[in-house]
Amino acid sequence: GAGVSQSPSNKVTEKGKDVELRCDPISGHTALYWYRQRLGQGLEFLIYFQGNSAPDKSGLPSDRFSAERTGESVSTLTIQRTQQEDSAVYLCASSQGLAGGHGWEQYFGPGTRLTVT
Amino acid sequence: GEDVEQSLFLSVREGDSSVINCTYTDSSSTYLYWYKQEPGAGLQLLTYIFSNMDMKQDQRLTVLLNKKDKHLSLRIADTQTGDSAIYFCAESHSNYQLIWGAGTKLIIKP
C-alpha cells in the first residue's frame, strides 16, 4: 500500500515568508508526528496528533510554528515569517497508534527540505 | 531530561561485522529502536527490542541490550555496500514519543 507522502519535496523561500508543508499519512493510521532534522543532527520532535485528541505541541520551537490535522487524514505544518534557522528537513511519520510497541512503529515520509534564503 | 547518544561515524570493511553503539539515560524506557536512513529516502524501522529482552536476532541483524548499563548495540553481520546509511537509535517510554540519537553514519570500505 501507499506509504507516507510529503509535499513539496523541496522548498526554497525568502526570509520572512510563510510556508506550508503537507503530510499524507498511511490510511488508517491514527497517530501522526512532525519532526525537524537539521543537517547532521538527530530528529527533533515538533508535534504529535492522535485521533481526535488534543495534539501534543510541546516540541514546537516558537509561536511561528503551527500544525493542523483534520480527523485522521492530511496534516499541514505552517511556519510563519520564516527565519534562516528554520532551514532543515521536515519529516512526517504516522503510526497505528495502538498500545504496545509494534503498534507505535513510526513510518516516515521522505521529508521536505526547506531552505530559507 | 532524557538523552540518547551515539558515535557520529563508523567505518568498516565490506564483509566485516559492523557494531553500532548507543547509550541512553532513561531507565524507564520500554522500547528501543534502530532506524536506518539512506540518502534521499525516509527513515525506515530496522528492528526494535522490548526492555525486558537482552537480545534479538533478525537475519544479519543482532540487537543487544544491557539495561543495567543503559547500552544498546546493533550488529550487522557481513556488512555490504547497501548497508551504507545513517543509523538512528531511539527510545520510548511514553508509548508515542521517541527520544532520538543524532545518528551514526556507517561508511563501508571496499
Side-chain angles (χ1 to χ4, degrees):
Chain A
V4 178
S5 61
Q6 293 186 245
S7 60
S9 54
N10 279 285
K11 177 72 177 178
V12 180
T13 190
E14 291 179 355
K15 178 182 171 181
K17 301 275 191 188
D18 297 352
V19 295
E20 194 172 276
L21 312 180
R22 177 186 168 110
C23 172
D24 282 87
I26 292 172
S27 178
H29 280 193
T30 60
L32 186 146
Y33 312 74
W34 282 99
Y35 294 92
R36 179 169 67 180
Q37 186 180 24
R38 290 199 166 108
L39 187 65
Q41 296 187 20
L43 275 68
E44 179 186 1
F45 168 78
L46 296 179
I47 189 169
Y48 159 77
F49 295 91
Q50 171 59 59
N52 293 317
S53 303
D56 177 352
K57 304 180 183 180
S58 60
L60 294 178
S62 77
D63 59 8
R64 296 187 296 105
F65 287 72
S66 63
E68 292 183 353
R69 186 185 188 196
T70 306
E72 296 180 358
S73 62
V74 170
S75 175
T76 54
L77 176 69
T78 301
I79 309 173
Q80 296 178 307
R81 304 181 303 281
T82 52
Q83 303 295 312
Q84 286 187 328
E85 64 261 26
D86 299 333
S87 295
V89 175
Y90 290 82
L91 292 166
C92 175
S94 70
S95 74
Q96 291 179 1
L98 301 171
H102 208 59
W104 291 103
E105 176 181 341
Q106 296 183 23
Y107 295 81
F108 283 81
T112 293
R113 181 175 300 277
L114 175 66
T115 304
V116 182
T117 60
Chain B
E2 301 93 0
D3 195 19
V4 176
E5 294 196 354
Q6 304 176 239
S7 300
L8 292 182
F9 297 97
L10 176 66
S11 179
V12 298
R13 292 201 178 279
E14 189 176 357
D16 287 352
S17 291
S18 305
V19 180
I20 304 170
N21 294 302
C22 169
T23 58
Y24 59 98
T25 58
D26 186 1
S27 57
S28 65
S29 295
T30 52
Y31 289 92
L32 296 115
Y33 303 84
W34 284 105
Y35 278 80
K36 179 181 181 182
Q37 186 177 40
E38 294 178 275
L43 277 154
Q44 175 192 3
L45 178 67
L46 273 183
T47 186
Y48 68 95
I49 189 167
F50 188 49
S51 59
N52 68 354
M53 299 168 64
D54 52 20
M55 188 181 90
K56 182 177 181 181
Q57 187 148 9
D58 183 4
Q59 299 182 336
R60 291 192 298 122
L61 305 179
T62 303
V63 178
L64 295 177
L65 175 61
N66 181 328
K67 199 171 178 184
K68 173 176 168 290
D69 294 338
K70 301 191 190 71
H71 182 266
L72 181 74
S73 68
L74 174 70
R75 179 176 179 268
I76 306 172
D78 187 24
T79 309
Q80 304 297 310
T81 55
D83 296 324
S84 292
I86 301 175
Y87 291 82
F88 290 91
C89 168
E91 60 96 4
S92 73
H93 66 281
S94 67
N95 278 348
Y96 68 84
Q97 189 168 138
L98 301 187
I99 309 298
W100 296 80
T104 299
K105 185 171 185 177
L106 180 60
I107 299 163
I108 315 299
K109 296 182 288 187

